[in-house]
Amino acid sequence: MIAALAAIFILQNRSSVSIALFWTNVTTPLWLTLLAVFVLGWLVGVLTSWRRAAVKKRK
C-alpha cells in the first residue's frame, strides 16, 4: 500500500524545480526535493529525541 502511494506521488510530482541556496542553484525533480526535505526533517527529529533521552537518562 505504501509503495503504491509512493509511486503515485512520484508520478504526480515529476516536474523540475529550481532551488537557489546561497551561491548554488540546483534543478531537481519536485519529488526528489520533497523526499530530501522529509529525510532531513526525520533525521533532525531522531537526533533530537536521542539527545533528549540521553539528557533525561543522566538525571
Side-chain angles (χ1 to χ4, degrees), residues 3-16 29-32:
L5 289 174
I8 292 169
F9 177 79
I10 290 171
L11 290 173
Q12 290 182 345
N13 293 295
R14 290 183 300 169
S15 61
S16 292
L30 179 59
W31 69 268
L32 185 60

Side-chain angles (χ1 to χ4, degrees), residues 25-47:
N25 193 2
V26 179
T27 302
T28 63
L30 179 59
W31 69 268
L32 185 60
T33 304
L34 292 172
L35 179 64
V37 169
F38 173 77
V39 168
L40 286 173
W42 180 78
L43 283 174
V44 168
V46 167
L47 292 174

